[in-house]
């Protein structure tokens, strides 16, 4: 592993931030990356997509989130260097040579996100982590050029942290685990901008009790309750904000809108801007990807409100002017009723392909051990006075109750006008689909 360094700025650049106070851009490479056009692009991509239709303050962008993750990674790595510097190979302490790498990986961890990330990825078969690595590694990008000034190998090292293949697990876990700089920032930031106080947790305490160990990062025993608070905050944010039924309704409309647009484009009957046209045609490249943002998408949606196609026009208006679908929860026991409900919806004049949807939103608030997947081997460890480690749910009854559980629901979305149809309404009770 290489010792990557970048000149310290004679006068660091500080960015005022409502969550962290100040964000300190103290190296030349950090400043160069932030000034790159690929990073500035993130100013035009909202962090929470359609969530602002429910929580109007949630118009913050991926630009400030990436800055926030950078600042937390920078603070934690500096703290580790001061309190827990490695004295000899294999001692499980922090190697200060990793400070620059982990902070820049935090700065670029979401550089590959597109507009309306999850809906966009699902429809156009993109992956923001893979695209982020392409942006970092492509010699034509300003991001890559900034990183190569540090060292020709620096872009690959940063990309490997994001890909979770970098050989030092402490660096990877600081950016991607069940208690990482990414989650800490987005929970606090999303809580702040949505006004949801239950998403807050004691970050200052977390930073006092976090420490490195051989396989990643852990927390000292006297900070366990702060970690509990963090886990519960995450649980509440998913259930109350990210999985809000109206937010999910707008995502369903967005998906149907883009699906209809793709269908009409392939028939040769759709006004569309050039960058989005390449996605609808399925022949986009990285340059096209970097041109697409929320503004581009909404420009196309506005064009489509004047479309001669009634379904496209109606879906575009529903999305732009916040006309959500209604919904009811479903279970495996009552899914057999959905074809009947779709039949009634069609009889009422709505195409079920574009005016109904089944959406699942389940989250694991905490998983003590998951051998594969995004959070592989990312259980949260609590370090005892003698240096031994105990997994969090073995010490906390609260976390034990959440460990390995799936929290959320599955909802059937349909036109709100159907609530006025007695035969349809008879299948609904207390917000749930059920047998009459």
């Amino acid at each position: 592993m290489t010792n990557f360094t970048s000149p310290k700025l004679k006068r660091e650049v500080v960015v005022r931030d409502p969550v962290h106070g100040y964000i300190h851009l103290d190296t030349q490479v950090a400043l160069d990356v932030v000034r790159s056009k690929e990073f500035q692009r993130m100013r035009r991509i909202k962090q929470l997509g359609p969530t602002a239709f429910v929580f109007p303050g949630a118009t913050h962008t991926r630009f400030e989130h990436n800055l926030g993750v950078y600042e937390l990674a920078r603070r934690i790595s500096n703290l580790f260097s001061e309190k827990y510097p490695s004295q000899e190979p294999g001692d499980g302490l922090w190697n200060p040579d990793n400070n620059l790498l982990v902070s820049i990986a935090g700065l670029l961890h979401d550089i590959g996100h597109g507009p309306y990330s999850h809906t966009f990825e699902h429809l156009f078969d993109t992956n923001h982590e893979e695209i982020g690595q392409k942006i970092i590694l492509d010699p034509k990008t300003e991001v890559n050029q900034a990183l190569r000034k540090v060292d020709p190998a620096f872009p690959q090292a940063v990309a490997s942290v994001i890909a979770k293949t970098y050989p030092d697990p402490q660096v990877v876990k600081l950016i991607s685990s069940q208690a990482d700089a990414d989650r800490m920032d987005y929970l606090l930031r999303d809580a702040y901008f949505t006004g949801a106080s239950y998403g807050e947790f004691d970050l200052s305490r977390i930073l006092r009790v976090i420490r490195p160990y051989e396989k990643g990062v852990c927390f000292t025993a006297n900070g366990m309750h702060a970690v509990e608070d963090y886990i519960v905050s995450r649980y509440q944010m998913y259930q109350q904000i990210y999985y809000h039924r109206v937010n999910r309704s707008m995502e369903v409309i967005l998906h149907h809108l883009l699906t209809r647009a793709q269908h009409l484009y392939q028939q040769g009957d759709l006004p569309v801007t050039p960058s989005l046209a390449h996605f609808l045609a399925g022949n986009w490249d990285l340059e096209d990807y970097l041109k697409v943002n929320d503004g581009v998408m909404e420009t196309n949606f506005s064009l489509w409100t004047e479309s001669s196609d009634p379904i496209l026009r109606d879906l575009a208006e529903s999305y732009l002017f916040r006309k959500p679908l209604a919904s009811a929860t479903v279970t495996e026991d009552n899914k057999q009723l959905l074809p009947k409900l779709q039949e009634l919806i069609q009889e009422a004049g709505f195409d079920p392909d574009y005016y109904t949807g089944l959406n699942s939103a389940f989250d694991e608030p905490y998983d003590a051990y998951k051998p594969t997947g995004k959070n592989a081997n990312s259980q949260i460890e609590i370090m005892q006075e003698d240096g031994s480690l105990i997994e969090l749910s073995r010490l906390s009854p609260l976390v034990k109750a959440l460990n390995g559980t799936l929290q959320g629901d599955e909802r059937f979305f349909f036109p709100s006008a159907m609530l006025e149809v007695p035969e349809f309404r008879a299948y609904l009770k207390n917000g749930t689909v059920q047998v009459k």
Side-chain angles (χ1 to χ4, degrees), residues 39-311:
F39 196 89
Q40 291 291 319
R41 157 187 167 270
M42 290 191 293
R43 291 182 183 273
R44 297 180 290 281
I45 297 177
K46 288 194 289 291
Q47 174 75 7
L48 294 182
T51 303
F53 285 118
V54 186
F55 301 92
T59 56
H60 56 302
T61 68
R62 295 202 176 271
F63 179 85
E64 55 259 42
H65 167 59
N66 277 261
L67 284 174
V69 177
Y70 156 83
E71 178 62 17
L72 285 182
R74 189 191 69 85
R75 288 184 192 178
I76 294 170
S77 59
N78 285 344
L79 182 151
F80 285 178
S81 296
E82 178 185 343
K83 295 176 65 176
Y84 308 111
S86 179
Q87 304 299 317
E88 57 185 49
D91 61 9
L93 298 176
W94 179 256
N95 180 357
D97 290 347
N98 286 325
N99 285 18
L100 183 67
L101 175 61
V102 77
S103 64
I104 299 302
L107 189 61
L108 290 170
H109 79 287
D110 269 354
I111 190 72
H113 266 291
Y116 314 117
S117 178
H118 303 296
T119 301
F120 197 88
E121 288 188 4
H122 178 72
L123 190 63
F124 297 118
D125 194 27
T126 63
N127 180 297
H128 71 272
E129 290 187 348
E130 292 177 1
I131 291 173
Q133 292 163 52
K134 289 180 180 179
I135 293 171
I136 291 167
L137 296 174
D138 190 329
K140 297 190 295 293
T141 66
E142 292 181 4
V143 163
N144 178 273
Q145 293 161 19
L147 298 179
R148 277 192 283 119
K149 290 179 183 177
V150 173
D151 188 285
F154 194 46
Q156 182 59 57
V158 173
S160 70
V161 175
I162 294 170
K164 309 177 190 67
T165 58
Y166 189 72
D168 189 334
Q170 293 177 344
V171 174
V172 173
K173 297 301 184 186
L174 261 184
I175 303 301
S176 181
S177 66
Q178 290 196 87
D180 57 29
D182 177 23
R183 292 190 185 195
M184 290 180 195
D185 182 81
Y186 78 63
L187 290 175
L188 291 174
R189 192 167 300 279
D190 295 349
Y192 177 89
F193 284 100
T194 58
S197 60
Y198 41 70
E200 298 171 358
F201 60 90
D202 191 348
L203 176 64
S204 61
R205 183 63 177 164
I206 290 284
L207 295 183
R208 285 186 62 84
V209 301
I210 192 171
R211 62 159 296 163
Y213 79 106
E214 182 182 3
K215 296 181 179 180
V217 294
C218 64
F219 301 87
T220 57
N222 60 343
M224 186 188 77
H225 296 301
V227 182
E228 282 182 326
D229 185 30
Y230 159 80
I231 295 293
V232 172
S233 295
R234 183 182 182 280
Y235 164 73
Q236 293 281 17
M237 287 296 287
Y238 271 83
Q239 300 308 312
Q240 302 295 326
I241 306 296
Y242 307 135
Y243 293 165
H244 193 286
R245 67 184 187 281
V246 175
N247 184 30
R248 289 158 62 188
S249 170
M250 299 307 291
E251 288 181 347
V252 169
I253 292 172
L254 177 63
H255 183 271
H256 288 337
L257 171 60
L258 290 172
T259 301
R260 185 65 176 178
Q262 192 169 43
H263 170 73
L264 293 173
Y265 180 83
Q266 291 169 357
Q267 290 185 332
D269 183 25
L270 183 74
V272 61
T273 59
S275 53
L276 183 57
H278 292 155
F279 284 91
L280 298 176
N283 60 4
W284 60 274
D285 58 20
L286 184 60
E287 186 177 350
D288 297 319
Y289 190 90
L290 291 170
K291 291 178 182 177
V292 175
N293 54 52
D294 288 4
V296 169
M297 301 299 287
E298 291 178 6
T299 295
N300 284 282
F301 299 165
S302 294
L303 286 173
W304 299 342
T305 61
E306 299 178 3
S307 171
S308 59
D309 180 79
I311 293 177

